[in-house]
């Protein structure tokens, strides 16, 4: 089961990075955090993958006052999503006609949902941005939805001011990613007891329930690397 979890984690993170590259190549707008990443990349001259990695580790510094502890998956997430985003950008061409852009956007959203379910379901720790949202909610008493909204409004606004791409893809992602992850999590969620090498019948029965690694209910719309 450990081998399956590791494979699921790494495949999920690789697909997530490729889906980010597809969003960029579609040219119809990015999700809030990637608007921010793209804006910083344009300002700094670094590749967007490099910026994703750098921002991931900066976000992890914010975990310290929130008393969040990263897991193996958190650190893998911080490195691999950016690496595979740059790989995807090197391999995937840009589309200049609307039909190709729409198809690319649709594929990016679906792959992003699959990737999110894969890495969340592997139960190796939340992504850096996930942990920031859930940690803020835990420390302040706010809901995860409110914490997510406040953070993403801020990064979206800054990213847009820096020249990041905001468009119909931003709206499509916001509306579609939650239901997609909710739909796919039961397929990929590893039973909680498997983390300790034991599979309890009751854990298998509840394996499809989307929960954080701290066993608290977590809204799928708040989940991303």
């Amino acid at each position: 089961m450990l081998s399956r979890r590791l494979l699921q984690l790494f495949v999920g993170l690789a697909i997530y990075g490729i889906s980010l590259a597809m969003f960029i190549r579609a040219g119809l707008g990015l999700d809030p955090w990637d608007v921010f990443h793209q804006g910083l990349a344009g300002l700094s001259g670094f590749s967007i993958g490099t910026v994703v990695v750098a921002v991931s580790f900066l976000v992890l510094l914010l975990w310290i006052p929130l008393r969040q502890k990263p897991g193996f998956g958190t650190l893998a997430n911080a490195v691999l999503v950016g690496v595979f985003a740059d790989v995807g950008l090197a391999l995937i061409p840009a589309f200049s006609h609307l039909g190709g852009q729409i198809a690319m956007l649709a594929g990016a959203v679906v792959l992003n949902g699959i990737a999110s379910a894969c890495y969340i379901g592997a139960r190796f720790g939340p992504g850096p941005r996930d942990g920031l949202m859930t940690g803020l909610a835990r420390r302040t008493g706010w809901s995860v939805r409110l914490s997510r909204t406040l953070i993403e409004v801020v990064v979206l606004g800054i990213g847009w001011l820096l020249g990041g791409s905001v468009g119909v893809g931003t709206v499509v992602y916001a509306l579609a990613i939650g239901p997609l992850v909710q739909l796919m999590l039961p397929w990929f969620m590893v039973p909680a007891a498997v983390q300790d090498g034991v599979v309890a019948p009751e854990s298998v029965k509840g394996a499809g329930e989307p929960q954080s690694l701290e066993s608290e209910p977590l809204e799928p719309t708040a989940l991303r690397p």
Side-chain angles (χ1 to χ4, degrees):
M1 185 59 74
L2 178 60
S3 298
R4 173 235 164 137
R5 291 173 63 208
L6 287 170
L7 178 63
Q8 185 172 307
L9 172 70
F10 292 135
V11 169
L13 295 178
I15 295 175
Y16 200 101
I18 297 297
S19 72
L20 168 53
M22 292 172 67
F23 274 113
I24 294 173
R25 292 305 190 210
L28 296 175
L30 307 174
D31 69 272
W33 273 104
D34 291 325
V35 172
F36 179 64
H37 297 145
Q38 189 182 52
L40 283 179
L43 180 68
S44 66
F46 292 113
S47 71
I48 193 164
T50 300
V51 170
V52 169
V53 173
V55 170
S56 294
F57 282 100
L58 290 175
V59 169
L60 284 176
L61 293 178
L62 299 177
W63 283 33
I64 298 173
L66 297 176
R67 299 179 183 177
Q68 291 280 93
K69 295 182 179 180
F72 171 73
T74 308
L75 300 177
N77 190 314
V79 175
L80 294 181
V81 171
V83 169
F84 280 98
D86 279 348
V87 170
L89 287 172
L91 298 176
I92 302 171
F95 285 82
S96 57
H97 53 89
L98 185 59
Q101 290 176 292
I102 293 174
M104 184 68 73
L105 174 62
V109 172
V110 172
L111 282 181
N112 194 277
I114 295 172
S116 297
C118 277
Y119 95 84
I120 294 166
R123 294 183 181 270
F124 275 112
R129 295 154 190 80
D130 293 348
L132 177 62
M133 296 173 197
T134 56
L136 182 63
R138 186 174 295 108
R139 295 289 290 171
T140 62
W142 298 342
S143 69
V144 172
R145 186 178 297 276
L146 176 59
S147 300
R148 171 184 183 269
T149 300
L150 290 175
I151 292 171
E152 294 200 352
V153 164
V154 170
V155 297
L156 176 64
I158 295 173
W160 177 71
L161 291 174
L162 293 175
S165 176
V166 178
V168 65
T170 309
V171 177
V172 170
Y173 181 90
L175 294 176
I177 194 61
L180 278 173
V181 176
Q182 181 74 55
L183 175 67
M184 295 173 183
L185 265 176
W187 302 348
F188 297 103
M189 184 65 74
V190 174
V194 169
Q195 296 173 89
D196 301 317
V198 178
V199 182
E202 58 271 19
S203 69
V204 175
K205 182 179 179 180
E209 299 173 6
Q211 296 180 337
S212 71
L213 294 173
E214 292 78 15
S215 298
E216 297 180 5
L218 194 57
E219 301 168 42
T221 52
L223 299 170
R224 54 148 296 137

